[in-house]
């Protein structure tokens, strides 16, 4: 029951009532009590009293718009003045813009009042929030007929904001240029409009015009708007000039300006400058921390992003949804599942998990960290799945080597009528390339044409790679030649295709063409070139390219480049040179380089270097089962049975097992997968019957398979207890 109105209220005038209601505006119970008195005394039928009640109900922390409607509807139509309509239009424009536009049309239909400047301001605000350009332009046309409206700076700024929010900056600029009077909000609104449309130069030129015409209008609002406009990779110079002016004018005292500076430097890739602003900030808030975390994540400094998130939490600041997106993206880049799970737990506690862009980052994090089941659980919980989430899931399957699952999910997405983005198509093409599935890849190519996605990044490179990985170099090259503005990724894809398909000369020719076009090679380019040299046995040329990457391009060799050089030397039979080269390398190379040498020793029958490489692998604690098998077979070939037993014992002690072999074949647009030791294929029984028939036919023709390694002329007499295991090892290594 509403609280009783004070006895003095019975003798209140309308002015006293309005003043008392204004004082009690934050307390619904007191307002309702005063409303009850107004109804009982008949004061509610008077427009000023009713208007104050409408304003009271609509300005509560949780607006009671239904009550405001009821009060408005109780006012006799003839008694409603323009203030009555404005009291209703102003809150509706912020909370229910479509209702505001409807009420504005009703106001125009009444013959008792004409809209005031505040009426038009509310209509423009509602049109902007409802994204209704027709309603906004109609209100603008009507306002032009009322001189008091178009000459009012408040109304013109609202109109300017409407066109900017609708993305019609050309009309916004015409309104701005025609304004008889401007204030700092007008300037900042126009600058923000340019910023929203990524027109950084126009925004900066407008700011310079403001400095010439009315330098007194400089404010924190204008400064943040300009910084937002120049927060693009090429806007650093303009941003630095703004920074200097901000310091000169003393605007760094505003935390919003400091936050904008941090964001500007972060988006320009200058995290050192961003950190300097952050460190010198007198009053940080959650937005300041979020700007740094997001900046680190977007600039490839994931470690710093995670560290900054920990510092933020320790400092007692509450993360925002943008903070979580940044730290989840950093966790994805690092593969830091533990950090991602901690962020997930805090996110659930704070209630941010339901937001779509946070959920997208969460799904992406779990997918990239290899937790596809958790990613799928989050994916399936969403009622509305956008293309970003579909892409995250498809990409997650591809990154975890689950190419068939990726294609199955893509097919499900296509069946549900979701139009793929360029990133989705690229992920699907990478899945096709991973299992050499040419027909599904061709179907994706038709979708590229159907949806007009073009061959720009990342689609063109992914399509060229798909054709090349499927052995179709002709179509891969055709796609490559039609890629507009070919970047280093596009060149790498086609060079890799030629290299992997045994066309080394073609790969080297493409590399020379790439240099002539002015594209600067990267680390991946040189890996492909060195692989081509390895396949063709070009030792001297390989050394030339290895030196070239450091001498001409300033690229420090990585483990993959050293591996290519070891492979070049090993394939050429220069095993001692390969051994010496490995021992001269200063970076930590683990076990992979010695594994390459060991594999080459098997083919070239070099027992000494092979035994040395194998023992180095044993010392490093390799978990590669084939290394144990090859070393054991080397010792068996030399009849060193004690060493054979030692290696086998070491393998058992370390729990090393051979991974089963896997192969697949595409037949009638369907990919069939086969794994050693499994009988899960639906046609397994028929396949086995055919294999037995073929084996019998081969034996009848006099063909006998051999599981003997090239090292091994004759294994010699093994102890009976070891003979079965040894033959099993040899067969496993060969297969």
């Amino acid at each position: 029951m509403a609280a009783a109105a004070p006895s003095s209220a019975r003798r209140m005038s309308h002015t006293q009532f309005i003043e008392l209601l204004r004082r009690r505006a934050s307390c619904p119970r007191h307002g309702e009590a005063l409303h009850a008195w107004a109804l009982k005394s008949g004061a509610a039928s008077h427009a000023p009293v009713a208007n104050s009640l409408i304003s009271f109900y609509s300005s509560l922390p949780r607006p009671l718009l239904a009550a405001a409607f009821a009060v408005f509807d109780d006012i006799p139509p003839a008694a409603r003045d323009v203030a009555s309509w404005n009291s209703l239009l102003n809150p509706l424009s912020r909370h229910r813009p479509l209702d505001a536009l409807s009420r504005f049309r009703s106001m125009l239909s009444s013959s008792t009042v004409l809209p005031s400047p505040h009426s038009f301001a509310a209509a423009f605000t509602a049109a902007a929030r409802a994204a209704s350009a027709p309603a906004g332009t109609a209100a603008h046309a009507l306002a032009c007929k009322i001189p008091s409206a178009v000459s009012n700076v408040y109304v013109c700024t609202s109109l300017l904001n409407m066109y900017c929010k609708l993305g019609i900056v050309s009309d916004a600029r015409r309104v701005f240029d025609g304004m008889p009077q401007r204030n700092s909000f007008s300037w900042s609104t126009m600058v923000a409009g340019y910023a929203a449309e990524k027109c950084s130069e126009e925004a900066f030129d407008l700011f310079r015009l403001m400095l010439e015409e009315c330098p007194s209008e400089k404010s924190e609002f204008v400064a943040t708007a300009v910084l937002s406009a120049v927060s693009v990779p090429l806007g650093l110079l303009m941003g630095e000039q703004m920074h200097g002016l901000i310091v000169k004018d003393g605007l760094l005292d505003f935390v919003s300006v400091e936050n904008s500076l941090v964001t500007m430097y972060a988006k320009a890739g200058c995290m050192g400058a961003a950190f300097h602003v952050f460190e010198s900030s007198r009053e940080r808030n959650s937005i300041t921390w979020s700007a740094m975390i997001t900046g680190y994540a977007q600039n490839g400094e994931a470690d710093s992003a995670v560290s900054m998130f920990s510092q933020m939490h320790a400092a007692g600041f509450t993360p925002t949804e943008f903070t979580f997106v940044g730290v989840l993206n950093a966790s994805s880049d690092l593969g830091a599942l533990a950090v991602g799970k901690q962020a997930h737990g805090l996110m659930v506690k704070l209630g941010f998990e339901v937001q779509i862009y946070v959920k997208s980052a969460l799904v992406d994090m779990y997918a990239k960290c290899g937790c596809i089941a958790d990613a799928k659980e989050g994916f399936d919980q969403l009622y509305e799945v956008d293309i970003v989430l579909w892409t995250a899931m498809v990409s997650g399957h591809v990154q975890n080597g689950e190419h068939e699952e990726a294609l199955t999910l893509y097919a499900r997405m296509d069946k549900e009528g979701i139009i793929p983005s360029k990133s989705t198509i690229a992920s699907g093409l990478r899945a096709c390339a991973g299992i050499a599935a040419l027909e599904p890849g061709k179907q994706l190519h038709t979708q590229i044409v159907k949806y007009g996605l073009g061959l720009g990044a990342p689609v063109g490179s992914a399509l060229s790679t798909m054709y090349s990985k499927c052995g179709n170099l002709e179509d891969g090259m055709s796609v490559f030649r039609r890629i507009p503005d070919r970047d280093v990724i596009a060149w790498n894809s086609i060079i890799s295709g030629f290299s992997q398909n045994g066309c080394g000369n073609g790969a080297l020719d493409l590399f020379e063409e790439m240099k002539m076009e002015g594209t600067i090679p990267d680390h991946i380019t040189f890996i492909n070139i060195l692989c081509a040299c390895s396949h063709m046995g070009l030792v001297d040329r390989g050394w030339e390219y290895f030196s070239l990457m450091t001498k001409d391009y300033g690229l420090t060799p990585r483990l993959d480049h050293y591996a290519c050089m070891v492979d070049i030397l090993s394939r050429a039979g220069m095993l001692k040179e390969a051994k010496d080269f490995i021992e001269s390398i200063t970076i930590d190379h683990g076990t992979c380089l010695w594994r390459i040498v060991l594999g080459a020793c098997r083919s070239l029958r070099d027992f000494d270097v092979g035994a040395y490489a194998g023992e180095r692998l044993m010392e490093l604690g390799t978990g590669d089962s084939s290394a144990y098998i090859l070393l054991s077979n080397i010792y068996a070939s030399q009849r060193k049975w004690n060493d054979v037993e030692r290696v086998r014992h070491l393998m058992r002690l370390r729990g090393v097992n051979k991974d089963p072999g896997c192969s697949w074949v595409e037949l009638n647009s369907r990919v069939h997968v086969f794994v050693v030791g499994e009988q899960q294929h639906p046609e397994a029984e028929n396949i086995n019957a055919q294999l037995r028939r073929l084996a019998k036919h081969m034996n009848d023709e006099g063909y006998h398979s051999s599981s003997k390694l090239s090292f091994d002329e004759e294994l010699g007499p093994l102890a009976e207890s070891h003979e079965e295991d040894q033959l099993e090892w040899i067969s496993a290594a060969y297969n």
Side-chain angles (χ1 to χ4, degrees):
M1 181 180 293
S7 59
S8 60
R10 296 174 184 173
R11 299 185 297 276
M12 281 190 299
S13 68
H14 293 168
T15 303
Q16 291 173 325
F17 174 86
I18 294 169
E19 178 61 24
L20 183 59
L21 184 63
R22 186 184 63 80
R23 292 177 189 171
R24 308 273 177 99
S26 60
C27 181
R29 291 182 68 250
H30 289 164
E32 289 170 349
L34 288 170
H35 187 186
W37 174 86
L39 290 171
K40 184 176 181 180
S41 65
S45 61
H46 293 271
V49 173
N51 296 346
S52 65
L53 285 168
I54 295 171
S55 298
F56 162 73
Y57 283 120
S58 59
S59 61
L60 289 171
R62 291 186 178 180
L64 299 174
L65 294 179
F69 284 151
V71 174
F72 179 84
D73 292 338
D74 286 343
I75 303 174
R80 294 172 187 165
D81 58 11
V82 69
S84 305
W85 288 96
N86 289 345
S87 298
L88 193 62
L89 288 174
N90 286 329
L92 284 180
S93 67
R94 297 189 299 271
H95 301 291
R96 291 163 64 171
L98 291 175
D99 287 339
L101 293 173
S102 176
R103 291 281 179 168
F104 181 71
R105 285 190 288 268
S106 299
M107 177 185 184
L108 297 178
S109 301
S110 68
S111 57
T112 56
V113 294
L114 286 175
S116 70
H118 285 81
S119 309
F120 284 109
F124 296 146
T125 301
R129 289 182 176 271
S132 177
T137 53
H140 183 191
L142 181 61
C144 290
K145 297 179 180 181
I146 303 176
S148 62
V150 293
S151 62
N152 186 294
V153 66
Y154 174 68
V155 175
C156 289
T157 302
S158 297
L159 177 61
L160 180 64
N161 179 66
M162 179 196 75
Y163 280 122
C164 288
K165 290 289 177 64
L166 293 173
I168 314 174
V169 289
S170 57
D171 287 351
R173 185 57 189 264
R174 278 194 286 271
V175 171
F176 179 83
D177 291 338
M179 289 176 67
Q181 182 183 359
R182 306 185 188 111
N183 58 20
S184 62
F185 294 104
S186 308
W187 289 97
S188 60
T189 299
M190 189 66 242
V191 171
Y194 279 129
E197 296 301 312
K198 310 298 182 186
C199 302
S200 54
E201 293 184 5
E202 290 85 347
F204 197 68
D205 289 341
L206 184 67
F207 177 68
R208 287 192 292 199
L209 178 65
M210 188 198 81
L211 295 180
E212 294 173 4
E213 293 187 359
C214 45
S216 62
E217 296 294 350
K218 285 183 293 186
S219 68
E220 69 274 20
F221 305 108
V222 177
T224 54
V226 176
L227 287 172
S228 176
V230 300
S231 294
V232 293
L234 298 178
L236 179 60
L237 180 60
M238 294 180 284
E240 288 175 334
Q241 294 177 43
M242 274 301 302
H243 191 176
L245 189 62
I246 286 167
V247 173
K248 178 183 175 183
D249 293 337
L251 295 175
L252 273 178
D253 293 334
F254 296 96
V255 67
S256 60
V257 175
E258 288 182 322
N259 294 345
S260 297
L261 277 171
V262 171
T263 301
M264 183 274 295
Y265 280 121
K267 288 191 175 179
C270 299
M271 290 308 301
F275 185 72
H276 177 74
V277 175
F278 174 82
E279 280 285 279
S280 60
S281 176
R282 301 185 188 91
E283 189 180 348
R284 300 172 192 161
N285 58 17
S286 295
I287 298 174
T288 321
W289 287 92
S290 296
M292 283 299 300
I293 292 168
T294 303
Y296 278 129
Q298 292 175 344
N299 284 282
E301 300 182 40
D303 285 321
S304 299
V306 171
S307 174
M308 184 68 72
F309 179 72
S310 299
Q311 294 174 42
M312 176 184 182
H313 189 59
F317 287 89
T318 302
T320 67
E321 59 269 36
F322 304 107
T323 317
F324 284 116
V325 171
V327 75
L328 288 172
N329 288 339
S331 301
S332 298
D333 294 339
L334 291 173
L337 181 60
V339 175
K341 284 186 172 181
Q342 291 171 14
H344 186 187
L346 184 58
M347 181 195 313
V348 173
K349 181 179 178 180
L350 297 176
F352 288 119
E353 191 184 21
V354 296
Q355 298 187 10
I356 183 68
Y357 45 91
V358 177
K359 179 71 82 173
S360 298
L362 187 64
V363 170
D364 183 64
M365 182 275 295
Y366 278 122
K368 287 183 177 177
C369 291
C371 297
I372 295 296
D374 291 327
K376 189 175 185 304
E377 182 179 352
F379 180 81
D380 292 337
Q381 286 174 357
L382 292 169
Y383 295 105
E384 294 183 9
V385 181
D386 63 0
I387 188 60
V388 176
L389 274 174
W390 283 104
T391 304
M393 284 300 298
V394 173
S395 177
H397 280 301
V398 174
Q399 290 173 356
N400 286 281
E402 300 175 355
H403 302 107
E404 297 149 46
E405 290 83 352
L407 291 177
T408 300
L409 187 64
Y410 187 94
R412 174 183 155 194
M413 182 193 81
D414 189 48
K415 187 176 181 180
E416 292 187 14
I418 306 295
I419 298 177
S421 67
K422 291 183 178 182
S423 298
T424 324
I425 286 281
S427 296
L429 288 169
R430 283 192 285 270
C432 295
I435 56 175
L438 182 58
E439 287 305 316
K442 286 182 176 180
Q443 293 172 18
L444 290 178
H445 191 173
T446 62
Q447 287 196 335
I448 293 171
V449 177
K450 176 182 178 181
Y451 296 119
L453 298 177
L455 294 178
V459 175
S461 300
L463 184 60
S464 176
T465 300
M466 184 277 296
Y467 279 120
S468 300
K469 288 284 184 72
C470 292
N472 191 339
L473 286 179
E474 183 178 352
D475 286 343
M477 192 64 175
S478 175
V479 170
F480 171 76
R481 292 299 183 194
R482 289 184 286 122
I483 295 176
D485 302 322
R486 293 189 288 264
D487 58 8
V488 67
I489 298 175
W491 283 100
N492 287 346
S493 68
I494 193 64
I495 292 172
S496 173
F498 273 79
S499 176
Q500 293 177 1
N501 282 279
C503 301
N505 286 323
L508 299 182
D509 291 342
L510 283 167
F511 177 66
E512 297 301 324
E513 182 183 344
M514 172 185 176
K515 292 194 296 181
M516 289 179 63
E517 282 199 7
T519 304
I520 299 175
D522 61 7
H523 286 91
I524 305 299
T525 314
F526 281 100
I527 291 173
N528 294 327
I529 293 302
L530 292 174
C531 284
C533 292
S534 177
H535 291 316
M536 294 190 297
L538 302 177
V539 179
D540 293 338
R541 201 160 177 184
W543 279 118
E544 290 177 11
Y545 287 125
F546 186 76
S547 302
L548 183 71
M549 64 181 293
T550 303
K551 181 180 176 182
D552 289 5
Y553 299 102
L555 299 173
T556 303
R558 297 175 179 173
L559 180 57
D560 290 331
H561 303 101
Y562 288 116
C564 289
M565 285 308 305
V566 171
D567 191 53
I568 289 173
L569 295 171
S570 299
R571 284 174 181 261
M574 303 169 67
L575 295 174
K576 287 185 172 54
E577 289 82 352
K579 170 179 167 293
D580 295 339
F581 177 68
I582 294 174
E583 293 181 332
S584 70
I585 296 172
T586 56
I587 68 169
D588 180 17
H589 51 81
T591 63
C592 73
L593 302 186
W594 290 116
R595 178 64 184 82
I596 295 171
V597 173
L598 180 60
C601 290
R602 180 191 68 177
S603 302
L604 298 171
R605 301 169 58 81
D606 190 323
F607 298 155
D608 294 335
V609 176
Y612 182 85
E615 289 297 344
R616 289 304 305 271
L617 288 169
M618 298 303 108
E619 292 172 12
L620 293 169
T622 180
D624 182 3
S625 60
S626 62
Y628 294 87
I629 295 169
L630 290 173
L631 181 59
S632 175
N633 288 332
I634 287 176
Y635 286 135
S637 299
Q638 296 175 310
R639 303 180 186 279
K640 296 180 179 180
W641 309 118
N642 290 335
D643 288 325
V644 170
E645 180 57 33
R646 176 175 58 83
V647 173
R648 293 178 61 195
H649 175 72
L650 194 60
M651 184 176 182
R652 288 194 298 269
L653 186 65
R654 292 176 176 173
V656 178
N657 296 307
K658 185 180 186 302
D659 294 329
C662 177
S663 63
W664 54 84
V665 62
E666 182 181 348
L667 184 64
N668 296 330
S669 300
R670 183 182 174 189
V671 177
H672 301 264
V673 181
F674 301 94
V675 179
V676 171
E678 291 187 1
Q679 297 288 320
Q680 296 181 357
H681 193 280
E683 298 292 331
E685 186 176 345
N686 293 333
I687 292 171
N688 289 331
Q690 290 296 326
L691 287 173
R692 286 192 293 270
R693 185 184 65 80
L694 287 171
K696 182 178 183 304
H697 183 65
M698 290 162 62
N699 287 330
D700 292 343
E701 292 289 331
Y703 174 81
H704 299 283
S705 61
S706 172
S707 62
K708 192 163 51 177
L709 292 170
S710 57
F711 282 96
D712 191 16
E713 293 179 357
E714 197 65 49
L715 287 179
L718 292 173
E720 184 176 351
S721 61
H722 296 161
E723 183 175 0
E724 183 178 347
D725 288 343
Q726 182 68 22
L727 291 175
E728 181 182 345
W729 273 37
I730 296 171
S731 178
Y734 183 81
N735 291 328

